[in-house]
Amino acid sequence: EYPLLFWRFLSITLRAKSSFTIVPRSGGWRVEDELTVTIQLRDYNGNPKKSGGDFLISKLHNRELGAGVVGQVQDHLNGTFTAVFPLLWYGMANVEVILVQTSESITVLKRLTEEQFRGVTKKSICNVCLDPDKAPLCNFTDLNTGEQWFCYKPSGLDCNTRVSHVKGGFNQRISKEEETLFKKYEYFFFFFVSVGINMKVPIMAVENSSINILPKTKKIKPGPSGYYYGHQWRPIGSPTVQQFNSTSVITACFKGKQLYLFGDSTIRQYYQHITKTLPSKTFFFHTQLYNNVGPFLAVDHTNDIMVTYRCHGPPIRFGNVPVSQLRYVANELDGLTGGPNTVVLIGVWSHFSTFPLEVYYQRNSVALTIRRAVQRLQNRAPETKVIIRTANMKDLTLYESLTNSDWYSLQRDKVLRAVFKDSGVLLLDAWEMGLAHYLPHSLHPQPEIIKLMFDVVLSNACPKQGG
Ligand SMILES: *[C@@H]1O[C@H](CO)[C@@H](O)[C@H](O)[C@H]1NC(C)=O
Ligand SMILES: *[C@@H]1O[C@H](CO)[C@@H](O)[C@H](O)[C@H]1NC(C)=O
Ligand SMILES: *[C@@H]1O[C@H](CO)[C@@H](O)[C@H](O)[C@H]1NC(C)=O
Ligand SMILES: *[C@@H]1O[C@H](CO)[C@@H](O)[C@H](O)[C@H]1NC(C)=O
C-alpha cells in the first residue's frame, strides 16, 4: 500500500514549492492604483498544479503604519491564482499570501460535512433532521419561524419532558493518510518525504514581496470593505469610524439606548467588552449556573442603558443550555419594539459549520428567518439600528479544521452576505477586520480587535459622538 500512498502525496499542493510574483507595473505604483500578484501552486515535484480549489487568502500590510487590507483572490482553476489589492496608503507595503487549506484537504472537508451529518443523525438524540423510521420523533420545530429541530422520543417519557440541550460531540473520521493534509508543523511521510506544512502557511514570493506606493494620480473603485491605517479601521464608502476610548464617551453614546446582542460566543465578546467599560454602578445579571449561555443583562440606571446577550437557538454547540433558554433569534427580534434607541447586533455562523450549507440558508433556516424578522422589525421601527456580524478566520488545528474550518466559515459567510445584501443592515466585517489585522487569526478575536469592531458598532449607533 505504501508506494500507492507515496505517489499520491507527490501530487498534493506543497507550499514550499509554490510561490507568488508581483506583476510589474511600468512607472511603479501610486495610491489608488491596483497591485496584482500571481500565485503559482506546485506539487511535491515542483510541477505546476493543473486544477484549483485551494483556499488562499492574502493581505497587504505595513506594520509601522498600522495599515492593512485584504486582497481579492481569484482562483483560475488551473493551479494559478490572482490576488488584487487596492493601494490605499502612501509608503511601503508588504504582500502576504497564505495557503489556508489545500484542495486535497477541502475534498476531505466536503466529505466530512456529508458524513458528519449522516453520522450524527444516526448517533445523536437531537438534530436538524432525524430519520423517522428509526424511532418515534419529538418534533420541536418552531411554530413561528419554522426552524427545524427533532429529538428521538425517549422511551417511557413524552416529548414535553425535555430539560436541557447538550452538545453531543463530533464524529469526524479521517484516515491517517488524510491527516497529513492538515499539517501545521513539518511532517515526514514514509521517513523521508516531507509533506510539509499545508495549513495556514505563507507562500513565499519569487523575488520581492514589497512595493513602494507613491502618491496618487487617479481614482479607482477598490474591492474590500475597509482597511487599517494608523491602527484604526477605515471603512470604504461608509462613514468614518470614530474612536470610543473611554467610559465617558461610550456612556454618552449609549445614554438612553438598549443594545441587544444575539448569537454565538463571538457575539458574547461584545457583551464582555462593553460591560467592562460601563460605569461601576451598573447592575449586572449574569446567570452563574449557565455562564457561557446567558441570558446576560446589564443595566445602568443613571444613564438609562440596557445591554443584553442571548445565545441563538439550535443547532447550538454550547455545553448545557436549559431548554427554556433555547430561543430562535427571529422570535426574539419579533419581541422587540425597536426605535432610534434600539441597537441590535446579531452573529450566527460558527455553530453551523458541520451542517450542510442548506441548514444555514434554506427556506426556514436561520439566515432567512433572521432576515425576515429583521425586515418586520424595520417595518415596525425603521430607525432601529441592525448590525450583522460576519464570520471570521480562526487558528486551525486538525480538530478545529475538521469541525470548524475557515473553509466552512467562508461558504456560510458568502451566503450570509448574499442574504443581507441591500437589506439596510450594517455588516460588521469581522472577516476582513480579523484578516487585515497583524494579530494572528483567532475564533475569538483578541480584545484589541474587539475594541476596533466595537468602535464600528458605536459609530453606527451614535454617528455624532465619539472622538
Ligand atoms: C490559467 O488561467 C488563467 C486565466 O484564465 C490564464 O491567464 C493562465 O495563462 C492559465 N495558466 C495556465 C498555466 O494554464
Ligand atoms: C414538525 O412540526 C412542524 C410544525 O408543526 C410541521 O410543519 C412539520 O411538518 C412537522 N414535521 C414532522 C416531520 O413531523
Ligand atoms: C524590492 O523591495 C525594495 C524595498 O525593500 C524596493 O525598493 C524594490 O523596488 C523592490 N523590487 C521590486 C522588483 O519590486
Ligand atoms: C484612542 O486610542 C488610540 C490608541 O491608544 C489612540 O491612537 C487614539 O488617538 C485615541 N483616540 C481618541 C479620540 O482619544
Side-chain angles (χ1 to χ4, degrees), residues 260-276:
Y260 293 90
L261 303 166
F262 297 117
D264 53 34
S265 58
T266 63
I267 287 292
R268 191 173 62 221
Q269 286 187 279
Y270 305 110
Y271 181 86
Q272 286 154 345
H273 174 79
I274 176 131
T275 51
K276 269 196 220 110

Side-chain angles (χ1 to χ4, degrees), residues 205-219:
V206 170
E207 287 178 13
N208 203 343
S209 67
S210 297
I211 61 160
N212 192 14
I213 307 166
L214 305 169
K216 74 173 173 182
T217 51
K218 66 174 172 66
K219 261 190 135 40

Side-chain angles (χ1 to χ4, degrees), residues 93-108:
N94 191 50
V95 176
E96 209 174 287
V97 176
I98 293 174
L99 171 64
V100 183
Q101 307 260 210
T102 61
S103 53
E104 290 82 7
S105 71
I106 288 172
T107 306
V108 174

Side-chain angles (χ1 to χ4, degrees), residues 230-232 243-245 451 466-467:
H231 302 283
Q232 298 300 326
Q243 293 154 43
F244 293 80
N245 287 359
K451 193 269 173 190

Side-chain angles (χ1 to χ4, degrees), residues 117-139:
F117 194 56
R118 289 198 301 267
V120 169
T121 304
K122 275 186 227 139
K123 285 197 167 181
S124 75
I125 299 168
C126 301
N127 213 323
V128 182
C129 88
L130 290 174
D131 182 356
D133 296 335
K134 294 200 117 179
L137 295 182
C138 292
N139 184 348

Side-chain angles (χ1 to χ4, degrees), residues 48-67:
K49 297 278 291 189
K50 295 276 188 327
S51 57
D54 304 78
F55 177 14
L56 302 184
I57 55 170
S58 64
K59 70 173 166 186
L60 188 69
H61 63 114
N62 179 325
R63 185 73 191 269
E64 279 88 60
L65 296 178

Side-chain angles (χ1 to χ4, degrees), residues 295-317:
F296 299 150
L297 172 67
V299 178
D300 170 5
H301 273 298
T302 320
N303 295 298
D304 195 16
I305 296 170
M306 188 203 73
V307 183
T308 71
Y309 163 78
R310 184 178 272 290
C311 69
H312 67 74
I316 182 142
R317 301 192 302 234

Side-chain angles (χ1 to χ4, degrees), residues 233-250:
W233 183 248
R234 296 188 174 185
I236 294 168
S238 15
T240 313
V241 172
Q242 302 158 69
Q243 293 154 43
F244 293 80
N245 287 359
S246 66
T247 298
S248 59
V249 269
I250 293 173

